[in-house]
Amino acid sequence: MADKDAAAGGHGGGGLDPLHQFQIHSILDINIGGYDVSFTNSSLWMVIAAAIGYLLIRQGAGAGALVPTRMQLIAETLYMTVANMVRDNVGDAGRKYFPFIFTLFMFLLVGNLVGMVPGSFTFTSHIAVTFALASVIFIAITVIGLVKHGLKFFTLFFPHGAPLATAPILIPIELISYLSRPVSLSVRLFANMMVGHTLLKVIASFAIMLGVVGGIAPLALLVGITALEFLVAALQAYVFTILTCIYLHDALHLH
Amino acid sequence: MVDDQLRDLGKRVQAVRARRATELRGSGGASRGQASGGMAIGLRIVIEMVAALAVGVGGGLFLDAEFGSSPWCLIVGFILGSGGAFANVLRTARDLDARQKREREAAIASERADGLDEG
């Protein structure tokens, strides 16, 4: 406790810790077979994000009217965005993976946007969450590629047309490059969300520390950065999904 | 009766959408995309680079701990990781290049189509 206070004081007083928002605390303690599987605030917001995503689509697509209501228009726009993304980046073979990709996109988009609500928790700002998602995608795509192409899948690790003598160097490099995909995928999302939310908190604490008169400039900046954060939230969900599509395309078509 | 109205509405929506698309392409659409895109591209390339290096070094350290061969696997892993980092950067750059070229060609093609419509 004393350490924490000292650390907060070191940041310039006021007891404002910009990283406090990322703390995970247990809401409901659950212990199964020695493993801590407590229901935390992170899990709570994941459930909320999934529920909002489900209700949005359910509410929107339920009516199915020819002249859409606002809700239906939102649902249809989201659906069309992902449908076009899958068609452009994976091709017709990707159609059967559309439900998964659409679910992924909705989960991340709603999760990122729900995190912008003051007092909420952004579960995508934890690498544990994003890396778990990226690992599932990575393993699934590797298995899809192996099932679809058998041993021919391993030609992915040797660039087409390179001389055979370069294989001992090229294959490990390509292998590492392939293994780095889940890392870059998860780090990109987690880093963007965490940096954004920390920045918001830091600038907000400037506004508080400088008082009513001096705090106007940081407050104005804060308004601009908040808008930028909404852009980042939507963009990062989109980027995560589009890269999943590109990796899926690689596994389905091998170059 | 209702069908006619709907078809009319559909036509109007489509016309507005086409006009909006050409307007966006003409005015500032491209430059605005580039301004915020530079940072995003930079960040993307950095993350690709660091990720490959992290996998190489991490794998090397893991193998060293497993076989007690310190520091040889780390050295090899670092070198291969650097190679992987450059491979990732090259692939990303090529991908971005191809995307840009495709967009430019699409813009030129649609402009030509517009010209034919009017002429």
Side-chain angles (χ1 to χ4, degrees):
Chain A
M1 195 61 214
D3 281 356
K4 216 166 144 194
D5 284 345
H11 282 302
L16 299 164
D17 179 6
L19 297 180
H20 176 75
Q21 55 179 325
F22 301 119
Q23 248 162 29
I24 287 185
H25 54 81
S26 172
I27 294 174
L28 185 70
D29 285 318
I30 305 170
N31 201 318
I32 297 174
Y35 288 103
D36 184 15
V37 287
S38 304
F39 191 81
T40 62
N41 51 349
S42 182
S43 338
L44 174 69
W45 284 99
M46 276 185 228
V47 171
I48 290 172
I52 290 175
Y54 173 75
L55 288 177
L56 184 69
I57 298 300
R58 174 103 204 116
Q59 202 66 24
L66 207 49
V67 177
T69 58
R70 288 189 188 90
M71 208 61 155
Q72 193 182 339
L73 204 60
I74 293 173
E76 281 179 359
T77 309
L78 289 168
Y79 184 95
M80 283 306 288
T81 307
V82 182
N84 284 338
M85 194 199 297
V86 172
R87 203 192 49 219
D88 292 347
N89 289 294
V90 193
D92 276 340
R95 196 161 287 173
K96 53 180 166 174
Y97 306 105
F98 173 77
F100 173 73
I101 291 171
F102 186 57
T103 312
L104 180 76
F105 178 70
M106 286 305 293
F107 185 60
L108 290 174
L109 180 69
V110 178
N112 286 348
L113 289 177
V114 149
M116 291 303 295
V117 176
S120 71
F121 181 86
T122 323
F123 60 82
T124 43
S125 66
H126 279 268
I127 195 161
V129 175
T130 59
F131 191 69
L133 278 173
S135 312
V136 169
I137 290 163
F138 176 73
I139 293 169
I141 284 175
T142 309
V143 169
I144 287 169
L146 277 172
V147 168
K148 202 133 198 149
H149 298 285
L151 288 176
K152 245 187 86 191
F153 176 72
F154 293 103
T155 56
L156 197 64
F157 299 125
F158 192 68
H160 187 70
L164 208 61
T166 55
I169 304 170
L170 275 181
I171 287 174
I173 285 179
E174 288 291 323
L175 188 66
I176 286 178
S177 165
Y178 186 73
L179 289 176
S180 74
R181 281 172 173 188
V183 178
S184 67
L185 195 59
S186 55
V187 166
R188 194 188 340 264
L189 179 58
F190 126 84
N192 270 295
M193 298 315 290
M194 185 161 181
V195 164
H197 284 257
T198 311
L199 192 66
L200 281 181
K201 219 32 172 291
V202 167
I203 291 174
S205 60
F206 284 168
I208 294 169
M209 278 185 279
L210 286 172
V212 178
V213 182
I216 289 172
L219 188 66
L221 192 60
L222 196 62
V223 172
I225 291 180
T226 307
L228 187 73
E229 274 315 302
F230 274 105
L231 175 75
V232 168
L235 194 69
Q236 287 306 318
Y238 183 79
V239 166
F240 196 96
T241 324
I242 206 167
L243 282 172
T244 306
C245 286
I246 290 171
Y247 296 160
L248 187 61
H249 175 266
D250 277 0
L252 288 176
H253 301 291
L254 299 182
H255 297 295
Chain B
M1 181 65 200
V2 179
D3 272 3
D4 277 355
Q5 275 178 348
L6 278 178
R7 211 165 294 138
D8 191 43
L9 183 67
K11 248 181 226 158
R12 262 159 44 207
V13 166
Q14 226 154 38
V16 169
R17 224 176 240 167
R19 206 161 55 223
R20 173 94 60 79
T22 47
E23 271 168 19
L24 276 180
R25 233 183 297 123
S27 70
S31 65
R32 202 184 48 205
Q34 272 165 5
S36 64
M39 177 89 180
I41 289 170
L43 207 63
R44 185 173 161 192
I45 287 178
V46 164
I47 288 173
E48 292 284 350
M49 215 169 172
V50 171
L53 207 53
V55 169
V57 169
L61 284 174
F62 171 77
L63 289 179
D64 272 343
E66 201 82 338
F67 301 118
S69 59
S70 178
W72 295 108
C73 286
L74 174 60
I75 293 172
V76 172
F78 178 78
I79 292 169
L80 290 178
S82 315
F86 280 106
N88 271 353
V89 169
L90 281 177
R91 188 169 304 128
T92 310
R94 213 179 295 146
D95 184 51
L96 289 170
D97 238 23
R99 188 155 297 211
Q100 217 167 33
K101 198 188 253 176
R102 210 162 47 213
E103 266 165 26
R104 206 179 307 135
E105 271 165 10
I108 289 169
S110 69
E111 254 162 46
R112 201 168 290 156
D114 284 353
L116 282 179
D117 273 356
E118 282 157 20

